[in-house]
Amino acid sequence: MLKRLINTFLVSLIFFSTGIAQEPQLFSRKDFDLRGPVKNCLVITSYGQEEFEFNPQGLLTKSITRFSEKDYSITYYKYQDSLLLEQRNENYMQGQLDETTSIAHFYTRDTTSNRITERIYSYQKEFLDQYEYIYNEENRLIRIIRSNEEGVDETEITYIAENDENTVTYTINGVIQKSIKTTVKNKETPEEQELVLTREYLGGVPNRAIEVVRDNEGFIRSSKEFFFDAEKEEFKLRQRKDFEYDAEGNPSKETILLGRAKSSKAYIHQLDGSEFRNWIKQIVTPDNTYKTRRITYFESEEKTKER
């Protein structure tokens, strides 16, 4: 777990808990904190195994999550150049494909209207959803139109820039769902920080919030989770986490404040012997848990020619 994995978790916490539609995302080695021309990464965890495969350009082409030998899920990604064309999510139970829970996403891009259309089907060839992602001239996502048998939902995304603050607001069918305010402090100095405050709403009413602070190198230094006190009509702190990193950019310490209780975790990393210095074992104390990674790389053209 590194800065990008921490970042991915925090983003997922907001988007997947609200059900807000998001534009198609491309995943690369960097999203899994992998350096260099990684071809394959097998992660062994307490609940099973995860495996990630990448193409020479560094884009994720396949991911596998194994819960047991016969129970696992596979996601395939198909591209044209750097554009996502297809994503398939297959679930296997007792070694057999479960068509009732497996789905396929197909993407088409219309450059004349500056939009991407996503169509989702079950493996039983049943149409489930269609999303249209519409962008402005600056290639910013400004509208998402979701349509299915139940009707049509429209998400509007607005952008406001003021001084060193930028705010992005999501509304679904006219009701606010989420706002993201990004503030830069101590700009263009060694102490520069970026604060990202995400507020989440239910039925237009404030519900929860997360504030993330990054330093000038992009490392997440702290995160705060807030809940909304309806009686006092204000957000209150639920939990705070502070992160420290070692010279390699790997997290070395995590401090958690929950109410008056304070606890901490230490991370120890063993690196591989490559020039890219990826970690292959992570030990967390005092939990005494660990995670291992087996990494293979694409061979360079020079090494291939030598053979």
Side-chain angles (χ1 to χ4, degrees):
M1 172 177 174
L2 288 130
K3 65 172 183 177
R4 291 186 180 274
L5 294 183
I6 296 169
N7 183 49
T8 301
F9 166 76
L10 292 171
V11 171
S12 301
L13 197 61
I14 286 291
F15 288 105
F16 292 110
S17 64
T18 61
I20 295 175
Q22 294 301 298
E23 62 185 315
Q25 289 186 323
L26 300 183
F27 296 100
S28 70
R29 300 181 188 114
K30 291 182 178 180
D31 295 299
F32 302 90
D33 193 50
L34 292 165
R35 307 180 181 110
V38 174
K39 180 179 182 180
N40 179 278
C41 178
L42 173 64
V43 184
I44 301 173
T45 68
S46 58
Y47 60 82
Q49 296 182 354
E50 294 179 314
E51 187 171 359
F52 308 99
E53 294 183 9
F54 305 89
N55 62 18
Q57 291 72 44
L59 294 175
L60 181 66
T61 58
K62 182 180 178 180
S63 66
I64 306 174
T65 300
R66 295 188 181 275
F67 305 100
S68 67
E69 184 178 347
K70 293 185 177 182
D71 297 328
Y72 54 92
S73 61
I74 305 177
T75 302
Y76 298 93
Y77 301 87
K78 183 179 179 181
Y79 307 92
Q80 182 178 35
D81 298 324
S82 60
L83 299 177
L84 182 63
L85 293 181
E86 187 177 316
Q87 176 182 330
R88 291 182 176 269
N89 306 102
E90 297 181 353
N91 296 312
Y92 291 81
M93 302 289 288
Q94 295 298 309
Q96 299 295 318
L97 176 67
D98 184 0
E99 293 187 350
T100 62
T101 60
S102 299
I103 58 176
H105 307 247
F106 300 97
Y107 302 91
T108 56
R109 180 182 292 270
D110 184 349
T111 55
T112 59
S113 60
N114 207 18
R115 71 176 60 197
I116 295 174
T117 301
E118 174 187 7
R119 294 181 175 88
I120 306 174
Y121 294 87
S122 73
Y123 267 49
Q124 296 174 321
K125 298 182 179 180
E126 176 188 4
F127 170 77
L128 300 176
D129 277 300
Q130 175 175 294
Y131 291 89
E132 290 183 86
Y133 306 93
I134 303 168
Y135 300 81
N136 62 14
E137 295 179 354
E138 298 175 339
N139 206 33
R140 280 181 166 179
L141 182 66
I142 57 173
R143 185 176 298 116
I144 303 173
I145 302 173
R146 176 189 180 185
S147 55
N148 53 33
E149 293 182 352
E150 297 180 359
V152 177
D153 291 314
E154 189 164 331
T155 301
E156 295 282 349
I157 303 101
T158 59
Y159 302 82
I160 298 177
E162 186 177 3
N163 299 324
D164 291 328
E165 288 187 354
N166 292 280
T167 303
V168 183
T169 303
Y170 291 73
T171 60
I172 299 180
N173 300 329
V175 179
I176 187 170
Q177 297 292 313
K178 180 169 64 73
S179 69
I180 304 173
K181 183 173 72 172
T182 303
T183 306
V184 178
K185 293 188 174 182
N186 304 316
K187 193 173 183 179
E188 298 179 353
T189 71
E191 291 75 35
E192 180 177 316
Q193 288 186 330
E194 180 186 75
L195 281 70
V196 181
L197 176 61
T198 303
R199 292 187 177 96
E200 177 185 320
Y201 300 79
L202 285 177
V205 178
N207 181 47
R208 54 182 295 192
I210 291 181
E211 181 187 76
V212 178
V213 178
R214 296 179 179 85
D215 63 19
N216 59 358
E217 294 183 354
F219 287 90
I220 294 180
R221 291 296 175 178
S222 69
S223 68
K224 297 178 182 178
E225 291 184 39
F226 301 87
F227 69 94
F228 187 72
D229 187 329
E231 185 176 333
K232 295 187 176 181
E233 296 186 344
E234 63 182 16
F235 283 102
K236 290 186 176 181
L237 181 66
R238 182 192 304 278
Q239 177 178 266
R240 171 176 177 147
K241 292 184 178 181
D242 294 305
F243 304 96
E244 298 178 20
Y245 301 82
D246 61 24
E248 298 290 340
N250 298 321
S252 58
K253 185 178 180 181
E254 177 182 349
T255 303
I256 303 103
L257 295 173
L258 183 59
R260 295 182 179 180
K262 182 177 181 180
S263 61
S264 64
K265 296 180 181 181
Y267 294 83
I268 302 169
H269 295 88
Q270 177 185 339
L271 306 181
D272 66 7
S274 74
E275 62 183 291
F276 310 107
R277 300 180 67 79
N278 284 301
W279 65 264
I280 54 175
K281 188 169 185 178
Q282 180 189 76
I283 302 171
V284 183
T285 61
D287 301 352
N288 291 324
T289 59
Y290 69 90
K291 183 185 297 184
T292 61
R293 303 198 299 187
R294 298 174 185 170
I295 299 171
T296 57
Y297 298 90
F298 285 101
E299 290 190 0
S300 65
E301 293 183 5
E302 290 75 10
K303 289 185 178 180
T304 303
K305 289 177 182 179
E306 288 175 2
R307 292 188 175 182

